[in-house]
Amino acid sequence: MTSDPRNNTQALAEAVDQDLRARGRNERAEKEKAYLKSELIHFGVSVPDTRAVVRTALRGTTLSHDEVIDLARLLWTAPPGEAGPVHERRAAATMVLIQSKDRLGAEDADFIESLLREAKTWALVDPLAGDLVGPLSEQDPGFDPVLERWAIDEDFWIRRSALLAHLVPLRQGRGDFDRFSRFADAMLEEKEFFIRKAIGWVLRDTSRKRPDLVYDWILPRTHRTSGVTIREAVKRLSAEQREAVLAAK
């Protein structure tokens, strides 16, 4: 008799939930909820501890693609007995997807997008976009039209995701800088802080390997670029390059 895969993921979700609750601290929960301006329930578990919970739960398991998605969905939604979704459970769902990204691809873009739209906080959006979509989109061209659509979405968290999907590959000296440049150029004059910060963040990390590329891109655009973006972008440039950009600003 074949066991129901749903029973497996349900048991894993329950194990993660129990471990998170056991590690939770009320004082931390209150501070984190206030810091993130969160409407979610918070258990008060640190990111390293949440990551350890997920590692422990997945150790020795080999989840299929469908089980990965099912487990992430179970953790993302409100657990029985709670009034709503829980931040740490959503963080754990994100970590499950990131740790299992070798089983995911462009066919999962709609599911990932649904999480991004519901997340509404950098604490969840950034790892989903940077650590999950970034590597997946570099390997699977099926994400190309998805990122193009995200870059012009009305939701700034989705636009931020289109930018941050370039972060890891560009940080490592690879990636599609031309596409990032096109996205960033179109958003450069936006007033939204999280867009301005994301552009600067990707430029800063790109300059780890290719500072001249970032310098040549930012210098002629200083008159259109916010101070938030420039402060991030110049952090890893040479002193001469940094001074030239700031002077142009």
Side-chain angles (χ1 to χ4, degrees):
M1 186 176 185
T2 304
S3 61
D4 185 351
R6 175 79 183 192
N7 292 337
N8 184 35
T9 54
Q10 185 68 52
L12 285 172
E14 290 173 0
V16 169
D17 184 272
Q18 290 173 9
D19 201 352
L20 288 173
R21 289 175 189 272
R23 293 173 184 247
R25 298 292 181 268
N26 289 336
E27 183 180 359
R28 181 183 180 88
E30 292 174 5
K31 289 182 178 179
E32 190 172 62
K33 187 176 177 71
Y35 173 65
L36 294 176
K37 299 177 182 178
S38 174
E39 297 179 357
L40 302 178
I41 295 166
H42 285 249
F43 288 162
V45 186
S46 69
V47 171
D49 275 358
T50 303
R51 190 173 290 115
V53 167
V54 172
R55 278 199 305 265
T56 298
L58 296 184
R59 187 175 297 132
T61 67
T62 303
L63 299 180
S64 67
H65 166 272
D66 290 351
E67 287 175 320
V68 169
I69 297 297
D70 191 47
L71 177 57
R73 184 179 285 111
L74 286 169
L75 290 169
W76 192 266
T77 56
E82 293 290 355
V86 178
H87 173 77
E88 287 85 355
R89 283 173 57 103
R90 288 191 164 186
T94 298
M95 294 170 188
V96 166
L97 294 170
I98 292 169
Q99 291 187 31
S100 309
K101 61 181 176 288
D102 60 320
R103 275 145 280 176
L104 305 177
E107 68 273 13
D108 303 302
D110 287 347
F111 174 65
I112 297 169
E113 182 177 332
S114 72
L115 304 188
L116 289 167
R117 290 190 183 281
E118 293 176 11
K120 300 187 183 304
T121 172
W122 59 266
L124 297 171
V125 167
D126 291 6
L128 282 169
D131 298 323
L132 180 63
V133 177
L136 288 178
S137 62
E138 189 179 23
Q139 298 169 8
D140 190 338
F143 270 98
D144 291 348
V146 175
L147 295 181
E148 294 289 343
R149 178 169 54 79
W150 287 3
I152 56 173
D153 196 274
E154 291 183 359
D155 187 338
F156 73 82
W157 290 116
I158 301 298
R159 297 198 304 280
R160 178 177 170 95
S161 297
L163 295 168
L164 293 185
H166 297 80
L167 181 67
V168 172
L170 290 176
R171 175 194 294 156
Q172 296 174 352
R174 306 185 312 277
D176 190 341
F177 187 81
D178 288 342
R179 183 173 62 191
F180 166 77
S181 169
R182 183 161 46 80
F183 289 178
D185 199 51
M187 299 184 214
L188 202 54
E189 295 173 63
E190 287 199 26
K191 303 301 183 185
E192 174 55 56
F193 170 82
F194 286 104
I195 295 296
R196 292 177 165 186
K197 187 77 170 182
I199 295 172
W201 184 10
V202 176
L203 289 172
R204 181 195 70 195
D205 277 26
T206 300
S207 67
R208 289 172 181 253
K209 300 283 188 179
R210 291 176 284 182
D212 292 344
L213 180 65
V214 171
Y215 174 72
D216 290 342
W217 189 87
I218 196 72
L219 187 63
R221 293 174 171 84
T222 52
H223 65 291
R224 299 173 48 222
T225 306
S226 74
V228 171
T229 300
I230 285 181
R231 282 194 295 274
E232 288 297 320
V234 302
K235 281 182 178 178
R236 292 182 175 274
L237 299 184
S238 69
E240 293 78 12
Q241 290 174 331
R242 185 163 54 250
E243 288 171 6
V245 172
L246 295 177
K249 177 64 175 176

